[in-house]
Structure formats: structure tokens, C-alpha cells
Amino acid sequence: MNFDLNEDEEMLKALTERFVANTYDHTTRRIFQAEPGGFSGKNWALLGELGLIAAPFPEEVGGLSLDATGIATIFEALGRGMVVEPLAEASVLAGRLFALTAPEALSNPWLEGLLSGEKRLALAHAEGAARDSSPWVETSAHEQDGAYRLDGSKPYCVSGGGADGYIVSARLAGAPDDPQGIALFLVPANAAGLARREWPMADGSIAAALTLEGVLVPKDHRLDGGISEIDEAQQFANLARCAEALGVMERMFQDTLDYVRTRDQFGAALGSFQAIQHRMVAQYAAIEQSRALLNLALVSHEAGSFAEAVSGARAWISEASIALAHEMVQFHGGMGVTDELAIGAGHKRLLVLSRWPEGPRAALDRYAARMN
């Protein structure tokens, strides 16, 4: 099967790689991550100018309607650069979900800013009692005075730090674990009754814990969707996460390969020892297996088995990426876990990618359930 990129995909790849080459090294990455929100506002604006923020949005609202291959191409390149800007969470997940479900009266004031990067949304769905992307939602929504009143908490709003608004899932009816009766609402960050506490994740990205107490949103702030629309959006976001993880794996492997070729021990290069060579070959094979599963997901996009293929790729890559990260850190010794090297940063990023929004076993269970 031919996996060569077409002309448009090659252009996207070159554009993303140029952004990484011109903007990122390990030192600047640490500087960017120390900024409010956990990333560079200047870089976010640049991504907007380059059209990479808008690219996953539907073409009819000003995006490029990127397919699976386009999304994977961009995020693999971003992963190799270990880029900290939250494109997967803000653009592929929350932004695209909003564009597909918002009524026209609501989308008009927001879309232009979302496409350019002037505004940013985050998905606030996961709750404290939920486990591994389960549909558990206790946050309630009730009609009151011609609006919707929202009450509840969303402690795990990834990339929610500094966001301009949140897509909040809330229950109109049913038990907390009932997938039916869940609605989506756009809640501006400055809404009365909304409290936000920001907290750092393991990789340094900034999440937000939201508390909603009597938050009133107009009726036209209800989006046309529920749990099925979240699941569909998460499929593309998980594809982006898999591609990013593959890019991080490639970067960590290449950095380690350069290291073992030059690091002397007992009068010889570390990479000359057969045991080291065998372990590096095993991790090279894991990268190629990960790429094969990602490619399977790409060719399944139009074949009706996309969800299964993404879950399968995620289950494998989540486990394989952490195993690779542990090996690369060990080859570097104690300095592999410090902030001085990109190896440690890559390990932390892979840890988050492999566990959010669900762990590898949950992804495997999801894959098995869809196959039966």
C-alpha cells in the first residue's frame, strides 16, 4: 500500500517542521512552558497565522477539513519538536467540536477568534468519579428564568488554563452513568458563578479545575450534541495524540542514538556494546510497530473501522512509548531525568499522552468491545 503523502500533505508537513525548526530547541521549550497557560502566546498567534490552528476545522467555517492523514502528519512533526502549544486539546478536540455543534447565533461571535488563535476553548467533561472516558456526569443542568443553570465540578479540564471558554457537559436527565441525557454548553471563562483553579500536569501543561455554582448560560449556548459527539471528537484527538507520541518516540530515540555513539565507557563508545545495540534495535522495532498501527488507523478512516483502529493504535502506542521512554532515560543515566535534557521532557510528555483521557488497558477494552 502506498503511504506517500500527497502535495498538500507534504506542504503541511514542511510548514510544521519549519515552525519547529525556527522556533524550538530544548532551552526555548522550557521558556515557553514557564509562560502563563503553560505555552507561548506568541507561538500560538504564529500557529494561527500559519493556519495550523484552523486546519482541523470544517472547510465551511474557514478550516481545511483535515482528514486523518493530515492530522497525523502535523502532530507527528509537532511531537518530534516536543511542542508545548495545546493544538490537540484546543483545536482538534474543543475547537472542532464547537464548530460542528454550535448554533449559528453562537458560532458567529466565536469562530473567527478560534480560527485565528485569538480565542481558545477547552473541553470540560471528565469528573472526579469518572474512570477512563466513562460517560459519568454528575454536573447538572436545569432550565431557569429562560436560561440553563449549571451546577457541578470539572476537575480535569486539560489545557484549560487561560482558556476563553469551556465546553461543559452537564446532565439534563438520568443517572450519572447514563450516556443519555447529557448535553453540552458553552460557558465563557468570565461567567458569574464559575471558579477556576489552575494546576500543572506531569508534563508541565496547565489544566484547570472548574467549579460551577449557579452558572446561568443563555439557551443559545447549548450545543447540538452530547456524549456521542464527544466520543467522535475524541477519536480524532486520540489520533493526534498517537501521532504526537510517535514523534516524541522518534525524537527520544534519535537523541539517545547520538548519545550512545559518542559516550565513552570503559574505553569504547557505549553503542559498541552488543547488549546496548540489542536494546536499541528492540525500541526501533517498537517505533516501526507503532507507525504501522497508526497507518492502519489512517487507511481505516474511510473504511468504517476508524474508531477500532484508533483504539488499537492507542492501546499499543501508550504502552510502547512508556517502555521506550524508560529505556532512553536509563541509557542516559541520572541526567536523563533532569530538565537539562529533552529526554526527561519527552518522558513526561509521553506519560501524559499515554494516560489521558484513558489508559492503555481502557483503550484495549474499547478496541475489543468494538471488534465483538
Side-chain angles (χ1 to χ4, degrees):
M1 184 169 289
N2 183 12
F3 290 105
D4 292 339
L5 301 178
N6 62 35
E7 185 177 348
D8 290 340
E9 291 161 352
E10 287 285 4
M11 182 188 67
L12 278 173
K13 179 182 178 182
L15 182 67
T16 309
E17 289 176 341
R18 188 163 64 249
F19 166 78
V20 171
N22 293 344
T23 310
Y24 267 83
D25 57 36
H26 185 53
T27 300
T28 56
R29 182 185 188 277
R30 294 168 62 187
I31 294 172
F32 298 152
Q33 203 161 40
E35 294 189 24
F39 65 92
S40 167
K42 182 179 179 181
N43 284 351
W44 189 252
L46 178 56
L47 287 169
E49 292 177 12
L50 295 174
L52 292 177
I53 294 176
F57 283 68
E59 190 172 356
E60 56 267 24
V61 300
L64 296 180
S65 292
L66 279 190
D67 62 4
T69 301
I71 290 174
T73 299
I74 288 175
F75 279 88
E76 186 179 347
L78 293 175
R80 283 195 295 269
M82 297 188 186
V83 172
V84 298
E85 282 69 40
L87 271 175
E89 302 296 332
S91 180
V92 178
L93 180 58
R96 184 173 174 274
L97 177 61
F98 176 83
L100 292 172
T101 59
E104 186 176 354
L106 178 61
S107 64
N108 287 341
W110 281 85
L111 271 178
E112 184 177 351
L114 293 175
L115 293 168
S116 67
E118 294 178 9
K119 293 182 179 180
R120 181 167 57 88
L121 295 177
L123 177 64
H125 173 56
E127 298 194 0
R131 294 294 181 270
D132 289 324
S133 295
S134 68
W136 188 281
V137 174
E138 295 182 53
T139 299
S140 63
H142 302 284
E143 292 191 38
Q144 177 179 314
D145 301 328
Y148 285 102
R149 172 181 172 137
L150 306 181
D151 295 277
S153 63
K154 300 289 185 179
Y156 311 116
C157 183
V158 174
S159 299
D164 300 286
Y166 300 93
I167 299 176
V168 176
S169 60
R171 184 165 295 283
L172 293 169
D177 61 347
D178 185 356
Q180 305 301 318
I182 297 174
L184 304 178
F185 302 88
L186 176 68
V187 179
N190 59 358
L194 175 65
R196 177 173 68 186
R197 177 180 62 83
E198 298 182 356
W199 56 276
M201 299 184 71
D203 62 348
S205 59
I206 304 300
L210 306 182
T211 302
L212 302 97
E213 295 183 354
V215 175
L216 294 178
V217 295
K219 284 198 170 183
D220 65 2
H221 277 49
R222 179 179 173 180
L223 307 182
D224 184 19
I227 196 68
S228 60
E229 283 69 26
I230 292 177
D231 287 345
E232 189 272 340
Q234 286 285 16
Q235 290 172 19
F236 282 92
N238 279 334
L239 178 73
R241 295 174 185 125
C242 287
E244 182 184 350
L246 177 60
V248 176
M249 292 167 71
E250 292 170 335
R251 165 71 180 276
M252 294 182 71
F253 182 87
Q254 187 59 54
D255 285 0
T256 304
L257 186 61
D258 293 341
Y259 175 75
V260 298
R261 283 171 170 170
T262 57
R263 174 74 164 89
D264 284 344
Q265 194 167 13
F266 306 113
L270 193 61
S272 66
F273 297 108
Q274 193 174 59
I276 300 296
Q277 293 173 3
H278 287 176
R279 289 166 67 180
M280 289 293 287
V281 167
Q283 295 309 315
Y284 177 80
I287 290 174
E288 291 306 304
Q289 287 175 290
S290 299
R291 181 179 301 283
L293 285 168
L294 182 63
N295 284 338
L296 177 61
L298 300 184
V299 299
S300 301
H301 183 214
E302 302 295 339
S305 55
F306 181 62
E308 295 95 319
V310 171
S311 294
R314 180 164 175 76
W316 167 268
I317 293 174
S318 294
E319 291 278 27
S321 64
I322 293 300
L324 179 142
H326 289 168
E327 285 282 73
M328 302 304 107
V329 166
Q330 187 177 41
F331 286 146
H332 281 80
M335 66 180 180
V337 296
T338 69
D339 288 338
E340 299 302 317
L341 297 180
I343 293 295
H347 176 262
K348 293 173 184 176
R349 182 56 182 161
L350 289 175
L351 181 64
V352 171
L353 287 170
S354 67
R355 296 300 185 268
W356 177 260
E358 61 187 9
R361 288 194 177 186
L364 186 60
D365 288 343
R366 188 183 294 270
Y367 171 77
R370 289 183 179 275
M371 292 296 290
N372 293 331

